[in-house]
């Protein structure tokens, strides 16, 4: 099983090879609904542009959903011009010199649509029209076991695929959420209740990376409490919504972070485990965004059981790295002397 971050890296590294071979197979991301397959393709596309010195205006992602298309929409319509039959250019056909043709939910497509795709998957052409040389084809599908409407893919189509099985990467999702400005409580909740990060009930409702991003958007919107709760329930389902609401009540019990950092020696430390989980997440996020606050946070952490301190510092280091990798104007955590001093003091444990 690959993580989302590993799948992204695989697509990025595949691009030069898949745009140079005469016959190509199609990297196909396979995983549970909402795990982040589509997002991975778009993140990989952004990195392909950056790492291959491609001008952004010369690169595009064309997303096709074969399940909604008939063969003529894929291959083009046959019409008669001057007594001759010609095939029209399909409206999805690439218009830039470089890009990714993304065949999403390919496992739901009917056999006729699959057959129309077989040529573009292997030969990068439809009839007489070839994809531009700088194009790579990528696909995604849910697993049969997910009961999401996928059927068995014909053998000649499977033979054109490079299956990449994806598993949930909670740490990677946390880093993505932090660096992309999600509502702070969401990535903190992932530490608090990791089994609910991807958990669907019998009706297919619950927590997925997609639904948690929606939760973030709902929480950041200016909604009335009644409407907010209606939408959160719709996004998460009853079981996880109830747990999320309980978690938010825990968050409400946290000390004021600014006051804790300003006076760490006097801050209260007799917290229950659920409050401590939430507090460590809040402190890690604070340090990652502003390493200048590391000194006060670390003075407070030094008063705790060191297991909590290691949890906080590990998360802070990961979150800081994701800010730096994204190019945000945030100093790395290593720029804080308090952090490097703490690391030296605990190098035998923390580094390993």
């Amino acid at each position: 099983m690959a993580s989302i971050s590993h799948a992204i890296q695989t697509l990025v590294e595949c691009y030069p090879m898949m745009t140079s071979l005469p016959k190509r197979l199609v990297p196909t991301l396979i995983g549970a609904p909402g795990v982040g397959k589509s997002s991975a393709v778009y993140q990989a596309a952004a990195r392909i542009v950056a790492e291959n010195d491609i001008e952004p205006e010369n690169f595009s992602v064309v997303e096709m959903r074969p399940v909604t298309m008939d063969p003529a929409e894929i291959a083009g319509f046959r019409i008669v011009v001057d007594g001759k039959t010609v095939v029209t250019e399909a409206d999805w056909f690439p218009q830039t010199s470089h890009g990714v043709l993304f065949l999403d939910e390919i496992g739901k497509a009917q056999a006729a649509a699959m057959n129309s795709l077989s040529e573009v998957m292997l030969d990068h052409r439809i009839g007489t029209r070839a994809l531009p040389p700088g194009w790579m084809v990528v696909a995604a599908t849910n697993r049969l076991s997910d009961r999401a409407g996928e059927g068995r893919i014909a053998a000649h189509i499977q033979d054109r695929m490079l299956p990449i099985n994806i598993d949930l990467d909670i740490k990677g999702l946390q880093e993505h959420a932090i660096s992309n400005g999600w509502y702070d409580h969401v990535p903190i909740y992932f530490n608090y209740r990791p089994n609910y990060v991807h958990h669907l009930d019998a009706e297919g409702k619950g927590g997925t990376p997609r639904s948690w991003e929606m939760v973030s958007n709902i929480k950041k919107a200016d909604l009335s409490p009644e409407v907010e709760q209606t939408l959160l329930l719709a996004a998460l389902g009853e079981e996880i919504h109830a747990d999320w609401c309980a978690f938010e009540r825990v968050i409400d019990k946290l000390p004021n972070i600014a006051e804790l950092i300003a006076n760490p020696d006097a801050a209260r430390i007799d917290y229950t485990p659920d409050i401590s989980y939430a507090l460590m997440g809040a402190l890690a996020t604070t340090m990652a965004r502003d390493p200048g606050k590391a000194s006060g946070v670390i003075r407070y952490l030094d008063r705790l059981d060191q297991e909590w301190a290691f949890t906080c510092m590990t998360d802070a280091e990961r979150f800081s790295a994701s800010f730096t990798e994204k190019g945000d104007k945030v100093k790395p955590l290593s720029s804080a002397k308090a952090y490097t001093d703490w690391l030296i003091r605990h190098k035998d444990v923390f580094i390993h």
Side-chain angles (χ1 to χ4, degrees):
M1 284 285 187
S3 66
I4 285 290
S5 58
H6 181 70
I8 293 169
Q9 182 66 28
T10 300
L11 295 181
V12 172
E13 292 190 24
C14 274
Y15 177 79
M17 176 178 66
M18 293 301 181
T19 53
S20 61
L21 294 174
K23 300 283 186 180
R24 299 93 157 178
L25 300 184
V26 177
T28 303
L29 309 186
I30 302 173
V35 79
K37 301 183 292 295
S38 299
S39 176
V41 173
Y42 283 91
Q43 290 179 63
R47 285 185 50 190
I48 287 169
V49 171
E51 295 180 23
N52 291 274
D53 296 322
I54 301 171
E55 294 296 330
E57 61 268 23
N58 294 332
F59 189 99
S60 58
V61 178
V62 172
E63 182 173 333
M64 289 176 63
R65 291 180 181 262
V67 67
T68 66
M69 303 172 74
D70 62 37
E73 289 179 287
I74 295 172
F77 291 88
R78 294 180 182 274
I79 60 174
V80 177
V81 178
D82 296 330
K84 295 182 178 180
T85 300
V86 297
V87 180
T88 61
E89 183 177 277
D91 59 4
W92 60 263
F93 201 80
Q95 301 300 310
T96 56
S97 58
H98 299 75
V100 171
L101 177 59
F102 177 31
L103 310 177
D104 200 8
E105 298 185 345
I106 192 172
K108 294 180 181 178
Q110 298 298 313
M114 291 268 202
N115 290 334
S116 294
L117 288 170
S118 61
E119 189 177 24
V120 77
M121 292 174 74
L122 184 63
D123 300 316
H124 281 207
R125 64 186 307 113
I126 286 285
T128 60
R129 292 183 175 86
L131 299 185
W135 278 72
M136 176 171 73
V137 182
V138 176
T141 183
N142 298 320
R143 304 164 301 193
L144 278 172
S145 59
D146 296 317
R147 298 173 298 170
E150 272 64 26
R152 293 194 178 277
I153 298 174
H156 72 289
I157 298 295
Q158 289 193 46
D159 191 46
R160 288 161 165 77
M161 293 178 170
L162 288 171
I164 302 171
N165 291 294
I166 293 176
D167 201 3
L168 178 66
D169 177 10
I170 294 179
K171 292 186 183 299
L173 181 60
Q174 276 185 316
E175 292 159 12
H176 174 75
I178 289 288
S179 63
N180 284 277
W182 287 21
Y183 181 66
D184 277 354
H185 295 178
V186 173
I188 294 173
Y189 181 82
F190 295 166
N191 275 350
Y192 176 76
R193 197 75 77 202
N195 56 309
Y196 277 164
V197 177
H198 196 286
H199 175 86
L200 299 176
D201 61 25
E203 297 179 354
K205 293 299 298 180
T208 68
R210 184 184 298 141
S211 63
W212 285 117
E213 184 173 15
M214 189 68 238
V215 168
S216 171
N217 292 334
I218 292 167
K219 293 296 297 184
K220 292 173 72 174
D222 186 18
L223 303 174
S224 66
E226 295 79 8
V227 170
E228 178 181 281
Q229 289 306 311
T230 297
L231 295 179
L232 290 173
L233 176 59
L236 295 173
E238 292 186 6
E239 179 182 353
I240 299 182
H241 175 255
D243 193 71
W244 168 260
C245 291
F247 171 73
E248 291 226 286
R249 289 193 290 272
V250 168
I251 289 284
D252 289 340
K253 297 177 184 178
L254 292 183
N256 181 285
I257 299 298
E259 292 177 1
L260 181 152
I261 293 173
N263 193 6
D265 295 327
R268 186 167 63 91
I269 62 172
D270 53 334
Y271 301 119
T272 59
D274 54 353
I275 292 177
S276 294
Y277 268 115
L279 180 58
M280 293 306 104
L283 293 175
T285 304
T286 299
M287 275 193 293
R289 286 210 176 99
D290 185 358
K293 296 179 179 176
S295 178
V297 172
I298 290 171
R299 281 179 66 97
Y300 176 76
L301 294 178
D302 284 343
R303 300 172 56 209
L304 305 181
D305 184 311
Q306 287 305 285
E307 183 177 348
W308 289 115
F310 292 139
T311 296
C312 179
M313 297 300 280
T314 299
D315 284 347
E317 187 178 66
R318 289 193 296 110
F319 298 161
S320 174
S322 53
F323 279 130
T324 304
E325 288 172 6
K326 194 183 176 195
D328 290 338
K329 295 180 180 179
V330 176
K331 291 182 178 180
L333 188 57
S334 57
S335 66
K337 185 177 183 300
Y339 168 75
T340 56
D341 288 347
W342 184 93
L343 197 61
I344 291 170
R345 282 192 286 129
H346 298 91
K347 63 181 184 296
D348 292 339
V349 176
F350 190 72
I351 292 177
H352 292 299

